Amino acid sequence: MFGLRKSDSALLLIVIALTVLAPFILNPFPENSVMAQFNAGYPDLMQRLVIFGIFAIGFNILFGLTGYLSFGHAAFLGVGSYAGVWMIKLLTLNVIPAIVVSVIVAGAFSLLVGWISLRRSGIYFSILTLAFAQMSYALAYSVLTPITGGETGLQPKVGDPRILDAALEEGVTPRANLFGMFMNDSYDMVVGGWIFTFNVGYYIAAICMVLAFYLSIRIFRSPFGLMLRAVKSNQQRLNYTGIESKPYTLAAFVISGMYAGLAGGLLVAMDTQAGAERMFWTASGEVVLMTILGGAGTLIGPVLGAGFIKYFENIVSKINANILETWFSFMPDGLSDVFVGIIYPFIGKGWHLTLGILFMLVVIFLPGGLVQGGQKIAGMFKNKKDGSDSATSSASAAPAE
Amino acid sequence: MGILEVQNVNKSFGGLKALTNVNLNVEEGMIHAIIGPNGAGKSTLLNCFVGRLIPDTGAVTFDGQSLLGKKPHEINQTGVSRVFQTPEIFSDLTVLENVMIPCFAKRDGAYSLNAINSVRNEKDILEKAEQMLVDVNMADKRDMVASSMSRGDKRRLEMAMCLSQDPKLLLLDEPTAGMARADTNNTIELLAEIQEKRHITMVVIEHDMHVVFSLAQKISVLAQGTVIVEDLPDKIKGHPKVQEAYLGGAH
């Protein structure tokens, strides 16, 4: 299908199904039940899940294939965001120019950063990218305030030029749209106690993610992808095989920068504002976590990792002491206090503690990330099945496959 | 005139003089062995051919072009391939992929951003790589991950990778180091066969005299950074200077 081999087509179909059905999958609990707080099927979170999925897919093209660990990818997301907001301010409230220009500007910026940073490899490369990202952050936060809005960030105003749009009516706040469809428009489907929300912005972002995922499969399976894996495996041999590795690594860097730009542009399309904190080093670190947690170098890993982190970030950080107390209210007073006391540091603002522990567990026990975990579980089932088969039908052993 | 000419090459590392006025003339189609005691400068010399080291003074000319100042990938693109002392392969990739990469390098040059087409649709490259694996008796291992193979197979794979580029000059740095006798003999056969069928010029660095005298058509003896004798194998065997270099002083 679409020039993909069978297993890759299956993977693509799974991703399409997951994104299309996300409003159902993420809302498994009825609205008024106790479990409703674990529902993630609201537009804002769903949009973030797929947008950071795009960010991680792009990061994986660089880190997963070439092994070059960039610690500054949030800079491209931030630059893309600013470019997107400016398009919305200057041209039109339609999101298409904003998204396209975000990708182009982020690509150009990553060409510059990559061209300089890729002179070094290993830890020095990581430090160079980190330095660039922190410089970008500092500039956006202070010196470049006229362009970036500094501390307050950048958002469209009623008085912006928007040369392609007709003037807004008096008192109407500017909202981003796609040919008249507003990003926060939603259709709520009520089934029994459940409410499923279908959001315009989410589906636009989801289409972008499916396309981005498809493109990444093509890159993984292409001669270019093979060369990138060769860079990771043995750069010296590659050079002695007549191949110059820099154009390959630079191309991978720019492609992943453009993915970050796309993610930045989509963030702006969904919520028309951009701030410098988007470029802060923790944001760069987060995409590294997503990729490694999901499984670096695998196709679907980054998507899973991004979904996993963004889901738990939103859900776990919403739990507070009151909610905990209602959970443990069935226990005697003293005992419930003990349990609340133990769990309290891991919830709400302590969510990073939970993430850190999860990350450590994954890196130690599943170096291949969630994908490896899935494979292990699948392998266990397979073994069990094979075992029972051979036990029951050893007499009629047919040649396998 | 030889295909590879080395004239008055000097190379020092700090105060240590590794190569002193080395002259070497490798004739086209020959297997030329470089032997010498440990620390004689054999590997340093080889590194000067492939662009890993740049000689302080002197000239290295291959096929009429100077190799000095060229980067490793540029030198390879002129037709020089190298087999390393410890096999340098793409350990994380499959055997077939390992051989496909040099085929791509040969066809597409130092880089080509072929990012959309699937590798599986590159029929000419696939055919060439598979044929090469048949030639070196590794067809049954095509889908194995390279790192899981034995050392002898890794070296064979590296040889296949170099050969798939149809090089004009093949440099071999101790191709049988650490091999069992049977593997060594296989390698000798393989190299002799390559030379017979493809007429590739080879420069071999080797410690094992059995290998040297079964293969070499010409031998240069390097001692303390300088070529002391260059002659036919028969003449090298009993040469007094060679015995002196290996045994330390005349008796």
Side-chain angles (χ1 to χ4, degrees):
Chain A
M1 191 178 71
F2 307 124
L4 300 182
R5 66 176 85 166
K6 246 186 192 162
S7 58
D8 293 341
S9 304
L11 210 55
L12 182 65
L13 286 176
I14 290 172
V15 168
I16 291 174
L18 284 178
T19 46
V20 169
L21 301 176
F24 298 107
I25 297 166
L26 294 173
N27 254 6
F29 307 112
E31 207 51 30
N32 294 319
S33 68
V34 192
M35 301 297 280
Q37 58 193 316
F38 293 111
N39 281 342
Y42 50 94
D44 181 52
L45 179 55
M46 288 199 296
Q47 289 165 2
R48 278 173 181 272
L49 288 177
V50 288
I51 291 172
F52 280 91
I54 294 172
F55 191 20
I57 291 171
F59 185 77
N60 189 42
I61 289 175
L62 179 70
F63 175 58
L65 287 179
T66 69
Y68 276 79
L69 177 56
S70 162
F71 260 112
H73 253 54
F76 308 127
L77 185 115
V79 167
S81 296
Y82 284 125
V85 179
W86 273 109
M87 286 305 110
I88 285 175
K89 284 167 86 75
L90 296 176
L91 290 181
T92 166
L93 282 170
N94 192 320
V95 294
I96 287 180
I99 293 172
V100 171
V101 172
S102 295
V103 174
I104 294 170
V105 171
F109 186 53
S110 60
L111 184 65
L112 173 75
V113 174
W115 190 71
I116 296 169
S117 305
L118 285 166
R119 286 163 182 272
R120 292 282 170 269
S121 58
I123 187 82
Y124 302 101
F125 168 80
S126 303
I127 298 292
L128 280 170
T129 51
L130 178 62
F132 265 108
Q134 283 302 85
M135 279 194 288
S136 311
Y137 166 76
L139 286 177
Y141 199 75
S142 56
V143 183
L144 295 178
T145 301
I147 302 174
T148 61
E151 271 180 70
T152 46
L154 194 66
Q155 51 283 108
K157 297 195 176 71
V158 181
D160 287 332
R162 285 193 292 277
I163 50 177
L164 299 180
D165 285 358
L168 288 171
E169 283 172 43
E170 200 72 21
V172 177
T173 47
R175 287 158 73 199
N177 65 69
L178 179 71
F179 306 116
M181 288 186 294
F182 292 104
M183 292 302 128
N184 47 4
D185 281 353
S186 293
Y187 164 72
D188 286 341
M189 185 168 107
V190 184
V191 182
W194 285 269
I195 300 178
F196 302 114
T197 310
F198 298 88
N199 173 259
V200 173
Y202 166 72
Y203 278 104
I204 290 172
I207 289 168
C208 289
M209 193 194 79
V210 169
L211 291 177
F213 184 69
Y214 171 69
L215 188 62
S216 104
I217 298 179
R218 292 299 291 255
I219 290 174
F220 264 64
R221 302 295 181 223
S222 71
F224 173 68
L226 179 63
M227 293 303 170
L228 295 182
R229 286 192 292 142
V231 168
K232 183 181 186 178
S233 187
N234 191 340
Q235 198 160 348
Q236 166 154 302
R237 173 37 89 192
L238 197 62
N239 289 337
Y240 287 105
T241 306
I243 286 173
E244 195 177 8
S245 43
K246 177 107 186 251
Y248 286 99
T249 47
L250 185 58
F253 194 88
V254 171
I255 290 170
S256 74
M258 289 168 84
Y259 269 77
L262 175 62
L266 284 169
L267 280 178
V268 166
M270 301 307 141
D271 181 13
T272 49
Q273 52 161 320
E277 76 287 342
R278 235 168 239 184
M279 306 164 104
F280 198 55
W281 66 269
T282 50
S284 299
E286 198 179 49
V287 74
V288 179
L289 294 191
M290 287 172 182
T291 310
I292 294 177
L293 193 72
T298 61
L299 281 166
I300 202 165
V303 182
L304 295 180
F308 188 85
I309 289 186
K310 281 292 159 192
Y311 174 80
F312 279 97
E313 178 183 355
N314 275 268
I315 300 305
V316 178
S317 60
K318 264 196 309 190
I319 303 171
N320 56 30
N322 290 336
I323 295 175
L324 273 189
E325 269 158 27
T326 53
W327 284 0
F328 293 106
S329 56
F330 66 90
M331 292 180 177
D333 261 359
L335 197 61
S336 79
D337 285 351
V338 171
F339 273 86
V340 171
I342 291 172
I343 297 177
Y344 184 70
F346 296 93
I347 55 162
K349 285 187 176 151
W351 126 258
H352 285 107
L353 191 58
T354 316
L355 175 64
I357 291 171
L358 280 174
F359 185 71
M360 282 194 283
L361 290 175
V362 166
V363 169
I364 293 170
F365 294 106
L366 295 171
L370 296 175
V371 168
Q372 193 195 4
Q375 284 165 349
K376 271 192 178 171
I377 292 170
M380 263 157 53
F381 275 106
K382 213 175 172 188
N383 284 347
K384 242 183 210 167
K385 212 173 139 196
D386 290 353
S388 59
D389 275 0
S390 60
T392 51
S393 62
S394 56
S396 62
E401 293 167 45
Chain B
M1 217 185 101
I3 190 166
L4 179 72
E5 287 184 19
V6 180
Q7 283 160 347
N8 293 322
V9 162
N10 286 281
K11 178 76 195 171
S12 316
F13 299 103
L16 180 76
K17 205 127 177 42
L19 297 175
T20 317
N21 287 329
V22 172
N23 287 290
L24 198 72
N25 190 2
V26 178
E27 281 168 52
E28 194 163 357
M30 284 253 186
I31 298 186
H32 193 128
I34 300 175
I35 61 171
N38 281 328
K42 303 183 297 290
S43 293
T44 306
L45 188 60
L46 212 56
N47 283 336
C48 289
F49 299 163
V50 293
R52 189 186 248 185
L53 293 175
I54 300 170
D56 300 334
T57 59
V60 180
T61 320
F62 170 70
D63 215 9
Q65 315 173 42
S66 170
L67 293 185
L68 299 186
K70 283 196 174 159
K71 290 182 182 157
H73 72 266
E74 292 167 334
I75 291 177
N76 176 277
Q77 289 284 352
T78 65
V80 181
S81 285
R82 173 172 179 181
V83 175
F84 286 80
Q85 200 169 340
T86 44
E88 291 277 356
I89 52 174
F90 303 110
S91 321
D92 309 335
L93 307 185
T94 67
V95 169
L96 183 65
E97 285 170 332
N98 265 278
V99 184
M100 286 175 81
I101 288 169
C103 295
F104 276 118
K106 176 82 179 169
R107 192 191 72 182
D108 300 338
Y111 55 88
S112 98
L113 300 185
N114 189 352
I116 294 302
N117 200 6
S118 169
V119 168
R120 293 194 313 162
N121 295 336
E122 303 279 355
K123 298 281 183 232
D124 54 330
I125 300 278
L126 271 172
E127 258 171 43
K128 195 175 164 190
E130 278 176 355
Q131 184 56 46
M132 179 47 71
L133 288 179
V134 171
D135 288 354
V136 296
N137 291 327
M138 289 186 79
D140 53 328
K141 301 195 169 74
R142 70 190 279 266
D143 293 322
M144 268 174 86
V145 175
S147 61
S148 64
M149 293 194 305
S150 73
R151 195 180 158 101
D153 278 344
K154 283 181 186 169
R155 195 176 288 281
R156 191 171 274 266
L157 172 61
E158 195 184 20
M159 208 96 80
M161 290 162 72
C162 289
L163 290 177
S164 63
Q165 296 194 296
D166 303 316
K168 291 185 209 151
L169 174 65
L170 184 60
L171 305 172
L172 300 128
D173 194 349
E174 302 202 24
T176 63
M179 273 191 189
R181 204 65 185 165
D183 272 345
T184 303
N185 287 336
N186 281 338
T187 310
I188 293 173
E189 270 170 40
L190 181 68
L191 288 174
E193 196 185 302
I194 291 163
Q195 214 259 341
E196 196 177 311
K197 277 193 193 157
R198 300 173 187 245
H199 306 289
I200 298 172
T201 314
M202 291 187 221
V203 173
V204 186
I205 290 182
E206 189 53 78
H207 269 301
D208 187 336
M209 289 305 139
H210 169 61
V211 179
V212 172
F213 287 104
S214 344
L215 281 175
Q217 289 145 339
K218 202 162 188 193
I219 298 177
S220 296
V221 184
L222 211 61
Q224 292 177 335
T226 187
V227 177
I228 52 171
V229 188
E230 181 174 316
D231 217 327
L232 300 174
D234 292 345
K235 305 238 171 106
I236 294 286
K237 270 182 185 164
H239 203 289
K241 273 191 177 175
V242 179
Q243 300 207 331
E244 188 187 321
Y246 271 92
L247 301 173
H251 293 278

